[in-house]
C-alpha cells in the first residue's frame, strides 16, 4: 500500500466550546457515562475525558456491539474487568443490554448512595452526563432509554450542538453533549479507525486512503468476509490487485474501459458503513493499550 503524508484532523469550534461547558457542568452530575464504539474501544476513547471527569463515578458503554466482532468485544469486557472498570457492551438500536445500564449505574454510585444515607437523604436520583466521540450513538441511546425521541439523531458526526438535561424516568436524568474529539491525532492509525466508523466528517477525509487501509485491514484480519462480500479470491494479492478485482466485479468501468477507482472506493466505504461486509472489530486489547 502506498502511503502519503496527508493527515486526518478535525476539531471544529463547537467541540472546544463543548469541552468548556462540560467542565462547567461536571459538578452537577453524579455519574459519567462514557460511550465508546464497540468496534474501536481504544480509538474511540477520548484522552480528554479523564481530564474532564476526574474523580467522578464512571461507566463505559461499548455501543454498536451488534455490528462488532462479538468474540473480540468479549475480550474487551474481560480486559476492563481486569482493570476494575465497569464496562458493558450494548446496542442502542436493538435494545441489547440497555436495561443493564441502570444496574451498572447503581453499582458505580454505591458510595454516593451510602453518603446520602449517612446524611439521611433518601433520594436515589441519578444525574448522568453522557460523553463520547462524534457518531458513537449518544443521542440514539438517550432516545432508547427515554422511550421517545428526546433528542435529534443522525448517522453522521456533528448533530448534537447543545447540552440539554433529559428526563429518562423519575430517578434518572441524562445530560446530552456534543461529540468531542481532540485537537490533534497523534496516531494516524487511530484517526483512520475513527474514519472507518464515521466519527470524522467525510469532507476532511481522503477516501482513497481510507478505502485502501480498510482493504489492507480486511485482508489481514477478515479475509473470508472480504472474499465473500466481493466474490473474489484475495490470496497472495496486493492491495492494488484486490481493489482492481473489486472494481471489475462491481462494474466500476469508466470511458475507454479504464477503471473508475473513485467509484470503487465509494462502494467499499458505503459497504463498510452499511454493515454489508460483516461484523468487524478494528482493535483488540493489548494491541494499543
Amino acid at each position: 500500500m502506498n502511503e502519503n503524508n496527508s493527515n486526518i484532523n478535525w476539531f471544529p469550534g463547537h467541540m472546544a466550546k463543548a469541552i468548556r461547558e462540560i467542565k462547567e457542568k461536571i459538578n452537577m452530575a453524579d455519574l459519567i457515562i462514557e460511550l465508546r464504539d464497540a468496534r474501536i474501544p481504544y480509538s474511540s476513547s477520548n484522552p480528554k475525558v479523564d481530564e474532564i471527569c476526574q474523580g467522578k463515578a464512571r461507566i463505559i458503554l461499548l455501543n454498536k456491539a451488534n455490528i462488532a466482532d462479538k468474540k473480540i468485544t468479549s475480550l474487551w469486557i474481560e480486559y476492563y474487568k481486569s482493570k476494575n472498570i465497569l464496562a458493558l457492551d450494548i446496542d442502542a438500536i436493538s435494545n441489547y443490554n440497555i436495561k443493564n445500564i441502570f444496574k451498572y449505574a447503581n453499582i458505580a454510585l454505591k458510595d454516593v448512595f451510602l453518603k446520602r444515607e449517612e446524611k439521611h437523604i433518601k433520594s436515589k436520583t441519578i444525574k448522568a452526563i453522557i460523553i463520547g466521540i462524534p457518531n458513537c450513538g449518544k443521542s440514539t441511546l438517550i432516545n432508547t432509554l427515554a422511550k421517545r425521541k428526546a433528542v435529534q439523531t443522525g448517522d453522521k458526526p456533528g448533530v448534537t450542538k447543545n447540552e440539554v438535561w433529559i428526563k429518562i424516568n423519575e430517578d434518572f436524568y441524562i445530560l446530552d453533549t456534543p461529540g468531542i474529539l481532540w485537537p490533534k491525532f497523534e496516531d494516524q492509525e487511530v484517526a483512520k479507525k475513527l474514519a472507518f466508523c464515521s466519527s470524522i466528517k467525510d469532507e476532511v477525509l481522503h477516501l482513497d486512503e481510507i478505502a485502501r487501509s480498510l482493504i489492507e485491514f480486511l485482508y489481514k484480519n477478515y479475509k473470508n468476509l472480504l472474499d465473500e462480500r466481493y466474490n473474489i479470491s484475495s490470496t497472495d494479492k496486493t492491495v492494488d490487485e484486490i481493489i482492481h478485482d473489486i472494481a471489475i466485479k462491481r462494474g466500476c468501468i469508466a470511458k475507454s474501459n479504464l477503471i473508475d477507482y473513485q467509484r470503487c472506493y465509494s462502494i467499499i466505504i458505503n459497504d463498510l458503513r452499511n454493515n454489508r461486509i460483516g461484523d468487524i472489530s478494528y482493535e483488540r486489547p493489548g494491541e494499543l493499550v
Side-chain angles (χ1 to χ4, degrees):
M1 176 180 173
N2 295 323
E3 297 287 350
N4 61 34
N5 294 321
S6 63
N7 285 340
I8 302 170
N9 206 349
W10 184 51
F11 193 72
H14 80 267
M15 288 191 189
K17 179 186 176 187
I19 290 173
R20 291 195 302 270
E21 293 184 354
I22 290 170
K23 285 181 177 180
E24 292 170 2
K25 292 180 171 66
I26 204 74
N27 289 332
M28 299 169 61
D30 306 301
L31 176 71
I32 305 302
I33 297 176
E34 185 185 355
L35 200 62
R36 300 185 184 181
D37 190 312
R39 298 166 295 177
I40 49 170
Y42 173 82
S43 296
S44 60
S45 62
N46 192 326
K48 285 193 169 289
V49 171
D50 289 331
E51 171 193 330
I52 294 168
C53 308
Q54 196 168 19
K56 287 288 180 181
R58 183 179 4 169
I59 60 174
I60 292 175
L61 302 181
L62 302 183
N63 192 30
K64 305 185 182 182
N66 281 19
I67 58 175
D69 186 323
K70 293 171 180 56
K71 291 181 180 179
I72 294 180
T73 300
S74 295
L75 294 177
W76 278 105
I77 295 298
E78 288 301 315
Y79 167 80
Y80 290 125
K81 189 181 295 184
S82 73
K83 300 292 184 181
N84 293 318
I85 297 171
L86 280 172
L88 180 68
D89 55 322
I90 67 164
D91 189 83
I93 294 177
S94 68
N95 269 321
Y96 169 69
N97 253 351
I98 294 300
K99 288 183 179 179
N100 283 324
I101 293 174
F102 300 104
K103 173 185 173 183
Y104 274 59
N106 279 279
I107 293 172
L109 291 170
K110 181 180 178 181
D111 291 342
V112 172
F113 292 146
L114 283 174
K115 288 180 180 179
R116 288 183 187 177
E117 289 178 10
E118 291 172 359
K119 296 178 181 179
H120 304 289
I121 299 173
K122 296 181 179 180
S123 173
K124 290 284 187 177
T125 298
I126 295 174
K127 297 186 77 174
I129 291 181
I130 187 167
I131 294 176
I133 64 171
N135 202 37
C136 65
K138 296 183 301 298
S139 298
T140 299
L141 174 59
I142 289 173
N143 289 341
T144 299
L145 287 168
K147 298 180 180 179
R148 67 184 191 280
K149 190 171 183 179
V151 290
Q152 183 183 0
T153 62
D155 60 357
K156 58 184 179 179
V159 173
T160 303
K161 295 292 195 301
N162 301 305
E163 295 83 7
V164 180
W165 284 100
I166 306 297
K167 181 178 180 180
I168 303 301
N169 56 44
E170 292 301 321
D171 295 316
F172 205 96
Y173 293 81
I174 289 182
L175 178 66
D176 189 20
T177 62
I180 50 174
L181 288 170
W182 43 106
K184 181 182 178 183
F185 300 121
E186 299 295 340
D187 185 342
Q188 286 296 297
E189 288 304 311
V190 168
K192 286 177 183 177
K193 290 171 186 175
L194 291 169
F196 288 167
C197 297
S198 305
S199 291
I200 303 173
K201 284 187 175 180
D202 285 348
E203 288 86 341
V204 301
L205 302 178
H206 298 275
L207 290 183
D208 56 340
E209 285 186 72
I210 302 305
R212 292 169 65 83
S213 294
L214 173 63
I215 293 300
E216 186 175 52
F217 174 84
L218 292 174
Y219 180 77
K220 291 179 179 177
N221 299 278
Y222 294 96
K223 182 180 177 301
N224 59 324
L225 294 181
L226 173 64
D227 289 358
E228 183 177 339
R229 174 61 191 169
Y230 297 108
N231 192 26
I232 62 173
S233 176
S234 60
T235 303
D236 296 328
K237 291 184 178 178
T238 66
V239 171
D240 286 331
E241 289 170 337
I242 293 170
I243 291 175
H244 178 272
D245 288 351
I246 293 173
I248 295 297
K249 286 287 185 179
R250 290 307 171 92
C252 299
I253 309 298
K255 293 180 179 179
S256 303
N257 288 324
L258 296 175
I259 299 294
D260 186 344
Y261 283 107
Q262 288 303 314
R263 182 182 169 198
C264 185
Y265 296 144
S266 294
I267 287 173
I268 292 168
I269 296 297
N270 286 331
D271 281 350
L272 170 70
R273 293 180 176 173
N274 288 287
N275 197 37
R276 297 187 186 116
I277 298 173
D279 296 340
I280 298 168
S281 291
Y282 299 105
E283 54 200 22
R284 298 167 180 259
E287 290 178 341
L288 296 167
V289 293

